[in-house]
């Protein structure tokens, strides 16, 4: 079974600074997808960034970027120029295709890292 | 546009009462649909997923059930709620590009 580990339950960063959230995963699959989701106090789960395992280039979305190390099974999220609105729980997630009578994909989450951006 | 909605947003139910949470998707056909639960202070746990009408797969044995009566409708139900069913429930769907997006969530408190 796939597992996703986020070793930092809580982190804090000063506004405008950079912070990196860690994530490791365990799988025997070669083709899969990795995600970072953000869950602000409203509790809605919002996609931050997405990475396909077959792509060597690290994904980037504005101030958010990842460091994807496939051999090490590591997928960290870097937030640059942190803003107060970045305060949220961040979840790392792993998705693979499941052949079970249809085209289905299963998403497995880590336990999350609570990030607080301080003014 | 493609959107997902779930309701009700908040629900307080007594132990032993029934439950029905509904999720609908718009702007697509034959989506993969999912129900997740997030207990307090914990990550998300996949409860059910569906690849088509009437096709439901359960991930964990529990007091809940799911149904998909229409292509874009996914319902989470219980005949008799337990205190342990309290939590935040999220419906989700897989869009093109193999990415899963979530609804707004439903808070369930069983008292």
């Amino acid at each position: 079974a796939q597992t996703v580990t986020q070793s930092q339950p809580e982190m804090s960063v000063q506004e405008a600074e950079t912070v990196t959230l860690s994530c490791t995963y365990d799988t025997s699959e070669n083709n899969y997808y990795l995600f970072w989701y953000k869950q602000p106090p409203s509790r809605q789960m919002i996609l931050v960034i997405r990475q396909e395992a077959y792509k060597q280039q690290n994904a980037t979305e504005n101030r958010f970027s990842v460091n994807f190390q496939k051999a090490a099974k590591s997928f960290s999220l870097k937030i640059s120029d942190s803003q107060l609105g970045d305060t949220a729980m961040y979840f790392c997630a792993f998705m693979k295709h499941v052949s079970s009578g249809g085209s289905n994909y299963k998403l497995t989450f880590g336990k999350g890292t609570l990030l607080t951006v301080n003014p | 546009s493609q959107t997902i909605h779930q309701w009700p947003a908040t629900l307080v139910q007594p132990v032993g009462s029934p439950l029905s949470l509904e999720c609908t998707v718009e702007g697509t056909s034959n989506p993969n649909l999912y129900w997740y639960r997030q207990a307090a202070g914990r990550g998300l746990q996949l409860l059910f997923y569906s690849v088509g009408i009437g096709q439901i797969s359960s991930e964990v044995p529990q007091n809940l059930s799911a149904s998909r009566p229409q292509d874009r409708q996914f319902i989470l139900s219980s005949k008799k709620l337990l205190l342990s069913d309290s939590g935040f429930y999220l419906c989700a769907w897989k869009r093109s590009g193999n990415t899963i997006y979530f609804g707004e969530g439903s808070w369930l408190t069983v008292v």
Side-chain angles (χ1 to χ4, degrees):
Chain A
Q2 281 68 38
T3 58
V4 179
T5 302
Q6 293 179 249
S7 58
Q8 305 148 315
E10 295 187 33
M11 294 189 71
S12 63
V13 63
Q14 291 298 122
E15 195 174 7
E17 294 187 348
T18 296
V19 64
T20 299
L21 308 183
S22 301
C23 173
T24 58
Y25 57 95
D26 182 26
T27 185
S28 58
E29 303 286 331
N30 191 46
N31 296 318
Y32 50 88
Y33 302 83
L34 295 163
F35 305 87
W36 279 97
Y37 286 89
K38 165 185 176 180
Q39 190 178 40
S42 67
R43 300 304 293 267
Q44 177 144 19
M45 195 68 71
I46 302 167
L47 177 68
V48 175
I49 200 164
R50 169 180 182 269
Q51 174 83 43
E52 292 101 330
Y54 65 86
K55 289 187 177 180
Q56 293 185 341
Q57 185 174 6
N58 290 323
T60 299
E61 285 288 340
N62 301 315
R63 297 182 295 107
F64 300 88
S65 61
V66 298
N67 182 6
F68 173 47
Q69 301 291 329
K70 190 172 184 179
K73 297 180 183 177
S74 171
F75 184 61
S76 61
L77 174 70
K78 185 173 81 170
I79 306 174
S80 304
D81 186 24
S82 297
Q83 300 176 0
L84 296 178
D86 295 333
T87 293
M89 181 74 82
Y90 286 81
F91 290 96
C92 178
F94 169 98
M95 185 172 80
K96 69 162 189 172
H97 178 255
V98 177
S99 300
S100 55
S103 176
N104 187 40
Y105 291 77
K106 289 178 61 174
L107 193 62
T108 302
F109 285 84
K111 293 189 181 301
T113 296
L114 178 60
L115 176 67
T116 302
V117 180
N118 298 310
Chain B
S1 63
Q2 297 173 325
T3 57
I4 180 170
H5 298 288
Q6 65 176 102
W7 67 91
T10 305
L11 201 57
V12 180
Q13 293 285 97
V15 170
S17 65
L19 169 73
S20 180
L21 299 179
E22 189 167 340
C23 173
T24 60
V25 179
E26 298 176 359
T28 188
S29 60
N30 197 31
N32 288 359
L33 297 171
Y34 308 83
W35 277 111
Y36 283 86
R37 177 169 60 196
Q38 186 177 30
R42 300 180 66 179
L44 277 78
Q45 179 186 39
L46 177 62
L47 302 176
F48 300 96
Y49 64 90
S50 173
V51 299
I53 296 174
Q55 300 179 62
I56 308 294
S57 296
S58 174
E59 283 295 294
V60 293
Q62 58 207 321
N63 186 43
L64 303 169
S65 62
S67 62
R68 187 166 175 177
Q70 300 180 41
D71 181 45
R72 291 173 290 174
Q73 183 184 32
F74 202 25
I75 298 172
L76 183 69
S77 304
S78 174
K79 292 182 179 179
K80 291 185 177 181
L81 284 169
L82 306 172
L83 288 174
S84 58
D85 292 325
S86 294
F88 189 61
Y89 290 82
L90 284 156
C91 182
W93 65 299
K94 188 179 75 68
R95 284 173 57 171
S96 59
N98 293 329
T99 299
I100 292 180
Y101 291 88
F102 289 83
E104 307 93 331
S106 299
W107 272 109
L108 171 65
T109 303
V110 182
V111 296

